[in-house]
Amino acid sequence: MHRKWVNSETIEQFEATWEDMRIRYELESNCWISDMYNQRIHWAKPFLKDIFFAGMTTSGQSEGINSFFNGFVNSRTMLNEFVVQYDKAVESRRATEEDEDFKTMNSRPVLSPVHPIEAKTGRFYTRKMFDIFKKEWTEAITNLTHETLTKTT
């Protein structure tokens, strides 16, 4: 039932499953699960459908954390070594961000002359974010159709 609740597709399904679970298991006294419910707008899929995450999914978020530490720590890393490696991972991430900032500041993206929106986003987005935007934009405009209308009197 918990899995059904967490994986609900609609707000209505989420709320109905919560109500069933709350009554069936008498969850009023369970602080942890009640807190989860109270924070639902921050984690439950039906409440996050209209939120832009720049292409990052929930599994992508944990993959992002894994990739952050990849090459620095593993399951056998001792706590004292973890702290040292964490600092190295942060330093590496900062260096990568500085490189991206340099590329963004000192070069221009390849723009399509047809779409002024690309010129505007190219000025404000980082190079990496612009590449993601351009891919999605290209896919979106490729699928557009239009109908020519004529004015009749």
Side-chain angles (χ1 to χ4, degrees), residues 47-66:
F47 295 94
L48 300 174
K49 284 187 175 181
D50 297 326
I51 307 291
F52 177 66
F53 288 105
M56 186 173 264
T57 62
T58 53
S59 61
Q61 291 164 354
S62 66
E63 289 168 12
I65 291 169
N66 289 339

Side-chain angles (χ1 to χ4, degrees), residues 2-100:
H2 180 264
R3 186 173 291 122
K4 180 182 175 188
W5 178 55
V6 169
N7 294 320
S8 297
E9 292 292 327
T10 65
I11 292 174
E12 294 77 19
Q13 180 186 11
F14 181 90
E15 297 293 347
T17 306
W18 164 253
E19 193 59 27
D20 292 346
M21 224 170 52
R22 188 183 63 78
I23 292 167
R24 184 175 184 178
Y25 298 109
E26 301 174 2
L27 296 176
E28 293 82 11
S29 61
N30 186 318
C31 293
W32 179 81
I33 199 90
S34 295
D35 285 345
M36 268 187 71
Y37 175 76
N38 291 335
Q39 296 293 319
R40 65 193 177 278
I41 63 167
H42 300 292
W43 63 266
K45 190 183 341 180
F47 295 94
L48 300 174
K49 284 187 175 181
D50 297 326
I51 307 291
F52 177 66
F53 288 105
M56 186 173 264
T57 62
T58 53
S59 61
Q61 291 164 354
S62 66
E63 289 168 12
I65 291 169
N66 289 339
S67 69
F68 177 78
F69 287 114
N70 193 24
F72 294 97
V73 297
N74 60 46
S75 61
R76 286 181 243 115
T77 304
M78 301 299 278
L79 183 59
N80 60 339
E81 183 62 21
F82 175 83
V83 173
V84 172
Q85 293 301 331
Y86 175 83
D87 286 339
K88 288 181 181 178
V90 169
E91 188 176 314
S92 173
R93 173 64 61 96
R94 287 182 180 149
T96 301
E97 287 177 2
E98 285 176 4
D99 290 345
E100 288 296 322

